[in-house]
Amino acid sequence: MLNDKFVALGVTGSIAAYKSVELVRLLKKAGARVQVIMTKSACEFVKPLTFQVVSQNSVITDMFREPSFWEVEHVALADKADIFLVAPATANIIAKIAAGIADDMLTSTLLATKAKIIVIPAMNVNMYENPITQRNIKSLRTNGITVFEPEEGELACGYTGKGRFPEPRDILEQLNIVLGKDGDFKNKKLLITAGPTREPIDPVRFITNHSSGKMGYALAEKAIHRGADVILISGPTNLDPPLGLYKYISIETAEEMFRAVMEYYLEADVIIKSAAVADFSPKHRESEKIKKQGFNMNIKLNKNPDILQELGNRKKQQILIGFAAETSNATTNAQDKMKRKNLDFIVLNDLTQEGAGFAGDTNIVRILHKDGRIEELPKMLKKELADEILNRVYLYLQQNRTF
Ligand code: CTP
């Protein structure tokens, strides 16, 4: 969403100004071009040179200084910006925007721009909660400006409460959500399952597999950034659920995943079953820890419900995507699974290849389509692969609409 975008970033006089330096770094990393505009008081907290270095661009601090090139005068900058951030935003700048004041470079440019404006407040809790500030924030929102909620916690002023500037990495994620709202998955609901399931033997032991959940979480995050409503049903992982989920359901066993999927699948347009569901579970879950002494070394297993098979049997309009992790006869096995489970396509991990599979950040897959097409994808990051998978889901959604 930020790639190749021209981002104007207004920095105002808050101690949180130093955090915006990291924000600029992340924006640049995401492919954006960044033009920083600092108010006079922002310059008291951080030197313009710092922003100049991280943004690899000149920093605008003074409306009346001779511009180094004419393009940067305020109206031109207002026109050029795709996105206009004010971060951190003090109570003062929020009040000025609400009142339409244009008495410096930042406020003049803000008043002239037609870009999407996003304001990220940072201030003392009492200033934030003051009815005047709240009225001003409401006025900004009524005028189509997005105002992020500040975080709660310890504030630089020594108070505790709402007013903290969010961590730059969380801001970036929220930006992707806001900017993705009108993306190609707008008004589409995706149900995604992720991670392993865990089948208890006794209170301390369980059967599971190596799934990290990274692929499913990457799919959920990218789908949110493309405007989808995402229901993520996840087994135990070490990952934080992405921001902006429609619903997050945490489960442990295959049986629990089965029940959660059956509860929600009817409202989904697309179901992606990237979870590595355990195929078997112990027949009896012992209520006490099994002792070595006297244990007969046998655990009887039951077959778990095949969730994807059940979805394939019930499938109507939905796009249904499965994953296959194979160690031999990969393509034939995956093709067989795709047909048996009535899928639109299947993403095949050949676990014998280095860089493919469960724990890492990369994957190498083949995508097998129901019409017989086979696509061989190069090794890529799971986040990149998530977008590749979603691109194909999008095409299937378009076909469903046409016919
Ligand atoms: N799957 C599922 N429920 C199960 C087992 C698997 O929904 N009980 C789904 C997985 O989420 C994945 C796909 O089925 O999308 C393929 O999983 P896999 O275990 O490889 O397939 P199986 O049909 O179980 O085949 P096998 O174990 O024989 O390889």
Side-chain angles (χ1 to χ4, degrees), residues 40 68 73 101 116 138 146 158 195 234 254 261 330 341 353 396:
K40 213 166 160 223
S68 51
E73 49 96 13
I101 292 173
K116 169 101 195 131
K138 199 165 165 204
T146 300
S234 173
V261 169
K341 300 192 183 192
Q353 284 179 285
Y396 278 90

Side-chain angles (χ1 to χ4, degrees), residues 212-238:
S212 62
K214 283 182 184 166
M215 193 63 241
Y217 277 58
L219 280 160
E221 183 184 305
K222 292 292 183 176
I224 294 167
H225 294 177
R226 291 167 73 156
D229 288 332
V230 177
I231 303 171
L232 178 62
I233 301 176
S234 173
T237 71
N238 289 323

Side-chain angles (χ1 to χ4, degrees), residues 193 254 273-279 304-309 321-326 337 340-341 346:
T193 69
K273 281 240 62 222
S274 48
V277 186
D279 287 317
N304 281 335
D306 190 323
I307 308 166
L308 194 52
Q309 182 69 63
I321 295 120
F323 276 69
E326 305 289 343
K337 262 174 215 177
R340 208 167 5 105
K341 300 192 183 192
I346 193 160

